[in-house]
């Protein structure tokens, strides 16, 4: 919304400047009469007060673009407040510390064509971390609960030329298994990404969208929200084997869901398995923290907003600390699915559930017997799984090798991993950390989107745009 709704917001920011100028010319006598005729109202600065709930990348981006598009064009820049119920910013971009090493705990990879993220990184002089050649040659296997139905070739050599040979051999191996369907999958993803890139056009060349449906139709993405990924890929003539194995593994790892996910979410998921992926050194959360600081924001940590009330000319936000805040623009930049936030009067929002991903971090060693193997070195460094309700995990991946039999792993699962189950999967467990993420919407077709409300005072619900974030 922060791009496409910017001109409306700019107009409103300008109107506030005009109003403030008009009142600066009003006589003291007239102001006294106004004070007597009307009940007390909160006193605003010359520019509007904008209150943003949530300090993840959504809320941080709202502050960034609002500041960018209002200055220096607006004579009275907004005062921006961000409220975060936790003690750190970043939302679902967070890190975890295992034995003194830092790893991404939430959103861990970024696409090379995520131009906003690229621009944030450049603006803040953050260091980009790209996969090493050894990462690209990491072994991969697909587990069906009894056996590996597919495993790439792996060697222990760390010599770069050997790794390149292995990577090339695995490309041929996958082509032999899945055939031209791999190329068709790539074409499907590329076509979707190209349409998505229309949103990066300069603001002067884009229309202002009144609804999310309008926004999706303009880019040619609307129909992808009305059919499941499985139907889209069948129409693109991908083989059932590729869909049941590789595509399923990707959608399970990236969105925790099956081929019944919406076509758009599925395409985004597949794009997240391509080349050129990157991250920020020491944690992606630094993007949110950096642009919040860069946007001259009043940050309220450990302050949860429990109600938003519309009081005519402004909104009143009440926090669990007993504080009240008056603002002319209110932005909700956090998922409402599991949030205890009241709107007065109430507003209508399409019901949807969050898809939870349980991330379990373990330092130790896998038990080869669990996978029907006699040597732990034969276990792929990334184990993906097919869609089977009996499988207890979605994926297991190596984050770091400390010694020959000492690794740090990350496990994704749809349900919590019990200690007894972990003791079966691992022969050694030195450290275990569990995080339950309300990670993404549970995508089901047809997707239904909340309305975009930009009235005056303005109330903006970023919830509408999670599909395309």
């Amino acid at each position: 919304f922060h791009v496409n709704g910017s001109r409306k917001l700019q107009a409103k920011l300008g109107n506030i400047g005009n109003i403030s100028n008009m009142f600066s010319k009003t006589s003291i006598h007239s102001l006294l009469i106004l004070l007597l005729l009307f009940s007390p109202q909160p006193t605003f600065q010359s520019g509007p007060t904008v209150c943003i709930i949530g300090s993840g990348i959504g809320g941080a981006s709202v502050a960034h673009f609002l500041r960018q598009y209002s200055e220096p064009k607006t004579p009275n820049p907004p005062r921006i407040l961000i409220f975060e119920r936790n003690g750190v910013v970043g939302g679902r971009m967070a890190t975890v510390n295992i034995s003194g090493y830092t790893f991404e705990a939430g959103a861990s990879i970024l696409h090379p064509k995520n131009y906003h993220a690229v621009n944030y990184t450049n603006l803040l002089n953050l260091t980009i971390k790209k996969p090493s050649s050894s990462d690209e040659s990491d072994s991969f296997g697909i587990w069906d609960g009894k056996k590996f139905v597919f495993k790439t070739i792996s060697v222990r050599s760390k010599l770069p030329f050997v790794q390149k040979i292995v990577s090339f051999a695995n490309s041929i191996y996958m082509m032999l298994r899945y055939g031209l369907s791999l190329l068709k999958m790539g074409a499907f993803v590329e076509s979707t990404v190209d349409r998505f890139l229309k949103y990066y056009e300069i603001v002067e060349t884009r229309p202002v969208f009144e609804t999310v449906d309008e926004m999706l139709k303009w880019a040619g993405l609307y129909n992808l929200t009305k059919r499941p990924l499985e139907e889209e890929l069948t129409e693109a003539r991908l083989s059932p084997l590729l869909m049941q194995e590789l595509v399923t593994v990707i959608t399970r790892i990236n969105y925790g869901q099956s081929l019944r996910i919406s076509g758009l979410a599925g395409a985004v998921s597949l794009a997240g398995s391509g080349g050129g992926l990157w991250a920020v050194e020491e944690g992606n959360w630094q993007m949110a923290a950096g642009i919040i600081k860069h946007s001259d924001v009043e940050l309220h940590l450990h302050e949860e907003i429990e109600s938003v009330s519309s009081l005519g000319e402004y909104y009143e936000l009440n926090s669990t600390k007993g504080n009240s805040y008056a603002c002319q623009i209110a932005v909700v930049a956090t998922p409402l699915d599991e949030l205890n936030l009241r709107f007065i009067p109430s507003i209508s929002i399409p019901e949807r559930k969050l898809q939870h991903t349980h991330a379990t971090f373990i330092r130790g060693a896998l038990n080869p017997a669990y996978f029907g193997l006699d040597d732990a070195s034969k276990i792929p460094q990334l184990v993906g799984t097919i869609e089977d309700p009996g499988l207890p995990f979605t994926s297991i991946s190596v984050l770091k090798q400390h010694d020959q039999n000492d690794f740090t792993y990350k496990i994704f699962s749809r349900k919590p991993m019990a200690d007894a189950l972990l003791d079966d999967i691992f022969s050694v467990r030195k450290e275990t950390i569990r995080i339950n993420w309300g990670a993404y919407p549970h995508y089901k077709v047809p997707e239904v989107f909340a309305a975009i409300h930009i009235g005056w005072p303005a109330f903006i619900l970023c919830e509408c745009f999670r599909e395309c974030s």
Side-chain angles (χ1 to χ4, degrees):
F1 106 91
H2 45 264
V3 174
N4 300 309
S6 64
R7 280 185 284 178
K8 284 192 173 184
L9 287 178
Q10 264 185 268
K12 295 186 182 302
L13 294 173
N15 287 339
I16 291 179
N18 294 334
I19 291 170
S20 66
N21 290 334
M22 176 186 72
F23 272 99
S24 67
K25 298 174 183 177
T26 304
S27 67
I28 297 175
H29 177 69
S30 299
L31 289 174
L32 289 174
I33 291 175
L34 287 171
L35 289 172
L36 290 172
L37 289 176
F38 297 95
S39 58
Q41 298 288 313
T43 301
F44 293 103
Q45 296 178 351
S46 56
T49 298
V50 181
C51 295
I52 302 170
I53 303 173
S55 71
I57 195 62
S61 295
V62 170
H64 170 76
F65 286 107
L66 188 57
R67 189 67 75 194
Q68 175 180 312
Y69 291 134
S70 65
E71 296 177 352
K73 302 173 185 178
T74 304
N76 300 301
R79 174 192 177 207
I80 304 175
L81 292 78
I82 289 183
F83 299 93
E84 172 56 56
R85 59 180 172 174
N86 298 307
V88 293
V89 303
R92 283 165 285 187
M93 295 191 302
T95 56
V96 65
N97 188 283
I98 306 286
S99 304
Y101 296 94
T102 300
F103 303 101
E104 293 286 356
S108 58
I109 56 172
L110 294 157
H111 194 276
K113 291 186 177 179
N114 186 337
Y115 295 140
H116 286 325
V118 172
N119 292 338
Y120 293 158
T121 304
N122 293 334
L123 174 69
L124 302 169
N125 292 318
L126 298 174
T127 303
I128 290 179
K129 178 175 63 177
K130 293 185 178 180
S132 64
S133 57
S134 61
D135 291 332
E136 294 176 357
S137 62
D138 282 351
S139 55
F140 164 66
I142 301 176
W143 173 252
D144 70 357
K146 297 179 181 178
K147 63 182 182 302
F148 284 101
V149 297
F150 175 79
K151 278 177 65 178
T152 58
I153 303 166
S154 63
V155 295
R156 296 185 180 183
S157 173
K158 293 185 178 181
L159 295 174
F161 79 92
V162 174
Q163 292 172 349
K164 287 183 179 180
I165 292 172
V166 171
S167 179
F168 180 71
N170 280 325
S171 297
I172 295 175
Y173 184 27
M174 293 187 75
M175 183 63 74
L176 290 174
R177 183 172 182 83
Y178 300 118
L180 294 177
S181 286
L182 281 173
L183 301 179
K184 294 174 183 177
M185 181 179 75
F188 170 76
V189 172
E190 185 176 354
S191 172
T192 306
V193 170
D194 286 344
R195 282 177 276 171
F196 195 87
L197 292 180
K198 285 173 67 70
Y199 296 123
Y200 287 106
E201 292 180 9
I202 60 174
V203 67
E204 288 78 13
T205 65
R206 289 195 316 272
V208 174
F209 304 110
E210 301 292 340
T211 66
V212 178
D213 288 358
E214 260 184 50
M215 183 181 77
L216 292 168
K217 288 176 181 177
W218 177 77
L221 298 170
Y222 178 77
N223 291 338
L224 288 173
T225 69
K226 302 304 173 186
R227 296 204 303 173
L229 178 63
E230 187 173 25
E231 290 184 16
E232 294 290 341
L233 296 183
T234 298
E235 188 174 281
R237 305 183 66 121
L238 270 69
S239 70
L241 182 64
L242 178 64
M243 290 193 288
Q244 292 163 9
E245 292 185 356
L246 190 59
V247 175
T248 294
V249 167
I250 293 169
T251 58
R252 281 169 62 84
I253 291 175
N254 287 341
Y255 277 139
Q257 293 163 69
S258 71
L259 292 176
R260 301 306 298 172
I261 194 172
S262 72
L264 179 56
V268 173
S269 175
L270 292 173
S273 65
L277 303 176
W278 58 280
V280 175
E281 198 75 50
E282 300 301 324
N284 294 331
W285 63 271
Q286 294 173 95
M287 284 191 295
I291 58 177
I292 285 174
K293 184 177 181 180
H294 190 267
S295 301
D296 188 22
V297 166
E298 297 177 31
L299 180 60
H300 296 253
L301 295 176
H302 292 298
E303 186 151 18
E304 182 175 2
I305 300 300
E306 59 182 356
S307 68
V308 178
S309 302
S310 176
L311 300 180
E313 294 299 315
Y314 66 98
Y315 287 98
E316 183 179 82
L317 277 61
N318 293 292
S319 77
T320 52
K321 288 186 173 182
N323 298 326
S324 293
Y325 301 90
C327 49
Q328 292 123 311
I329 299 175
V331 181
V332 179
T334 186
L336 292 174
D337 309 77
E338 298 175 359
L339 192 65
N340 187 25
L341 178 62
R342 292 181 294 112
F343 296 98
I344 305 169
S346 61
I347 60 175
S348 177
I349 302 169
E351 182 181 359
R352 78 188 318 174
K353 296 180 180 178
L354 282 181
Q355 177 71 42
H356 278 251
T357 288
H358 295 265
T360 306
F361 298 85
I362 293 175
R363 180 165 181 178
L366 285 169
N367 177 12
Y370 180 87
F371 298 96
L373 301 172
D374 57 5
D375 187 345
S377 65
K378 296 180 181 180
I379 303 172
Q381 289 161 303
L382 171 59
V383 178
T385 53
I386 63 170
E387 186 63 32
D388 184 335
L391 291 173
F393 61 87
T394 299
S395 64
I396 301 177
S397 59
V398 174
L399 296 180
K400 183 176 179 63
Q401 181 173 0
H402 304 277
D403 206 339
Q404 184 174 353
N405 295 306
D406 185 10
F407 299 81
T408 296
Y409 298 91
K410 176 168 66 175
I411 305 175
F412 281 161
S413 59
R414 291 175 180 169
K415 296 179 180 179
M417 300 286 287
D419 283 331
L421 174 61
L422 292 175
D423 289 340
D424 284 341
I425 298 175
F426 288 84
S427 58
V428 177
R429 273 199 300 143
K430 298 179 180 179
E431 188 173 356
T432 303
I433 294 178
R434 295 176 172 88
I435 301 176
N436 178 9
W437 288 112
Y440 4 70
H442 183 80
Y443 295 104
K444 59 181 180 180
V445 293
E447 291 283 349
V448 179
F449 303 97
I452 303 175
H453 299 287
I454 304 184
W456 187 248
F459 173 71
I460 299 143
L461 191 62
C462 289
E463 183 84 356
C464 319
F465 301 95
R466 289 184 299 160
E467 184 81 34
C468 300
S469 61

